[in-house]
Amino acid sequence: MRSSLAELSGVDDDARIAVEDDDRQLTWQALDEATTRFGHGLESLGATPGSHVAICVGNRVEFVVALIGSWRAGCAYTPLKTGWTSTEVGAVLDDAGTAVVVTDRDGARAAAVERGTAVVDLDDATFTSWLASQSAEALSEDRCGYKMPYTSGTTGRPKGVVMRGSGTTPFAAGWAGIARWAEVLELPGDGVHLFCSRLFNGAPQTFGFGALARGATLRVMRQWDAAAALEELRRTDVTSTIMVPTMFRQILALPAEVRGNAQPTSLRTVLHGGEPCPIQVKEAITGVLGDVLVEYYGFTEGGMAVVRRDE
């Protein structure tokens, strides 16, 4: 019998909130059902295990559904930058032989239409009914979906990166794997993980979904705003987040009356990476957020170094 997402994540109450944004919440039971139906929906559009799915979607609950649904269906999936033009998106679709594009962006819609590629348009009025019409029967547990990232294209067109072993790990094992990443990085499996980066960003996405896989609720900010993020971090249910040092600088640049003096009371880990973080920035942001910094680097290159607060 297939394990539900709640069971895989050690959550004993599937009525708890699993993921939310400003407009919508999904319980663990609803997320399990939605991702299963989404996987079947991809099949109805011609995707099979191993097919490529491009996900060009902004920060919203549906991104989470699309990614996990593609993974559970056994597809290779690529989150794309939402600001890419149709030409930039099209280069990936051509290179990957994309079967389905999931999007809420005009550039990706246009690229798919130009190529006759199937589209799941999250802003289409029929999306909700389309998803509800798909089967809720469990997808086979032996399907081995995987993330296929693309390079940024700074030295030419973006290039797909297929890691050794991609497409050989069943979903449940992969889900446990990203939970282990989160554990190593001290991202708690309780409370709320605040997602304030863009969901398509590689490391924050992997690690943020890892916190979800450990059992934390994933709260998605629609867009970055320093004052709003600081307010969220001071909520009593938020236990972790992931940032880059530029975000630290923007919080530190807030007017004193906005920044205030109160440190978050429940926040346990602020994971950061993506760029160097000078000592003076670390010391200053610690004064605002508390002694909660954990730094990673080298993740993209195939390994990772982690520096914890006591090192």
Side-chain angles (χ1 to χ4, degrees), residues 162-181:
V162 180
M163 302 292 186
R164 180 177 297 173
S166 293
T168 63
T169 303
F171 173 78
W175 193 248
I178 62 170
R180 177 58 178 153
W181 277 118

Side-chain angles (χ1 to χ4, degrees), residues 268-292:
R268 304 209 293 272
T269 299
V270 174
L271 182 64
H272 69 98
E275 61 176 288
C277 188
I279 291 295
Q280 60 269 29
V281 174
K282 289 187 180 185
E283 291 175 342
I285 200 64
T286 295
V288 176
L289 300 181
D291 188 17
V292 293

Side-chain angles (χ1 to χ4, degrees), residues 24 33-34 37-38 60 62 120-134:
R24 189 180 180 198
E33 180 179 328
R37 290 185 186 276
F38 196 93
R60 54 195 290 183
E62 290 84 358
V120 177
D121 190 336
L122 301 180
D123 286 341
D124 190 290
T126 63
F127 170 70
T128 300
S129 58
W130 172 82
L131 185 63
S133 70
Q134 307 303 322

Side-chain angles (χ1 to χ4, degrees), residues 228-265:
L230 184 56
E231 183 178 355
E232 286 283 342
L233 292 171
R234 286 174 171 156
R235 290 176 58 158
T236 57
D237 57 353
V238 174
T239 54
S240 65
T241 192
I242 301 173
M243 294 184 172
V244 295
T246 295
M247 293 173 169
F248 293 164
R249 293 185 181 93
Q250 291 180 10
I251 289 174
L252 293 170
L254 291 170
E257 62 271 20
V258 175
R259 195 169 66 244
N261 298 315
Q263 291 185 349
T265 57

Side-chain angles (χ1 to χ4, degrees), residues 5-289:
L5 287 176
E7 292 168 334
L8 292 174
S9 303
V11 175
D12 57 10
D13 181 5
D14 61 10
R16 271 182 44 201
I17 301 301
V19 58
E20 62 184 2
D21 59 28
D22 291 341
D23 301 315
R24 189 180 180 198
Q25 294 179 327
L26 289 181
T27 64
W28 282 94
Q29 180 179 0
L31 180 63
D32 188 66
E33 180 179 328
T35 54
T36 299
R37 290 185 186 276
F38 196 93
H40 284 295
L42 293 175
E43 291 183 329
S44 74
L45 295 172
T48 58
S51 293
H52 183 257
V53 177
I55 303 172
C56 189
V57 175
N59 278 31
R60 54 195 290 183
V61 164
E62 290 84 358
F63 181 105
V64 181
V65 172
L67 188 149
I68 298 176
S70 299
W71 190 357
R72 298 183 92 172
C75 295
Y77 60 89
T78 302
L80 300 180
K81 293 181 179 179
T82 52
W84 272 2
T85 65
S86 62
T87 299
E88 290 170 317
V89 173
V92 172
L93 305 189
D94 292 339
D95 183 69
T98 302
V100 181
V101 174
V102 185
T103 192
D104 58 5
R105 304 290 156 150
D106 288 339
R109 291 185 185 105
V113 169
E114 288 170 5
R115 290 158 178 78
T117 304
V119 179
V120 177
D121 190 336
L122 301 180
D123 286 341
D124 190 290
T126 63
F127 170 70
T128 300
S129 58
W130 172 82
L131 185 63
S133 70
Q134 307 303 322
S135 172
E137 182 180 349
L139 292 156
S140 174
E141 286 198 325
D142 62 358
R143 298 195 182 193
C144 301
Y146 63 97
K147 179 179 177 179
M148 186 169 79
Y150 267 72
T151 61
S152 61
T154 52
T155 59
R157 287 194 170 185
K159 302 170 184 66
V161 180
V162 180
M163 302 292 186
R164 180 177 297 173
S166 293
T168 63
T169 303
F171 173 78
W175 193 248
I178 62 170
R180 177 58 178 153
W181 277 118
E183 182 181 1
V184 167
L185 293 164
E186 299 186 10
L187 294 173
D190 62 322
V192 169
H193 177 83
L194 182 67
F195 208 109
C196 53
S197 302
R198 292 176 177 175
L199 280 167
F200 62 71
N201 288 145
Q205 176 201 116
T206 299
F207 303 145
F209 276 61
L212 176 68
R214 289 198 74 192
T217 295
L218 194 64
R219 181 175 296 151
V220 179
M221 291 184 67
R222 287 285 191 166
Q223 59 185 13
W224 165 254
D225 177 270
L230 184 56
E231 183 178 355
E232 286 283 342
L233 292 171
R234 286 174 171 156
R235 290 176 58 158
T236 57
D237 57 353
V238 174
T239 54
S240 65
T241 192
I242 301 173
M243 294 184 172
V244 295
T246 295
M247 293 173 169
F248 293 164
R249 293 185 181 93
Q250 291 180 10
I251 289 174
L252 293 170
L254 291 170
E257 62 271 20
V258 175
R259 195 169 66 244
N261 298 315
Q263 291 185 349
T265 57
S266 300
L267 188 63
R268 304 209 293 272
T269 299
V270 174
L271 182 64
H272 69 98
E275 61 176 288
C277 188
I279 291 295
Q280 60 269 29
V281 174
K282 289 187 180 185
E283 291 175 342
I285 200 64
T286 295
V288 176
L289 300 181

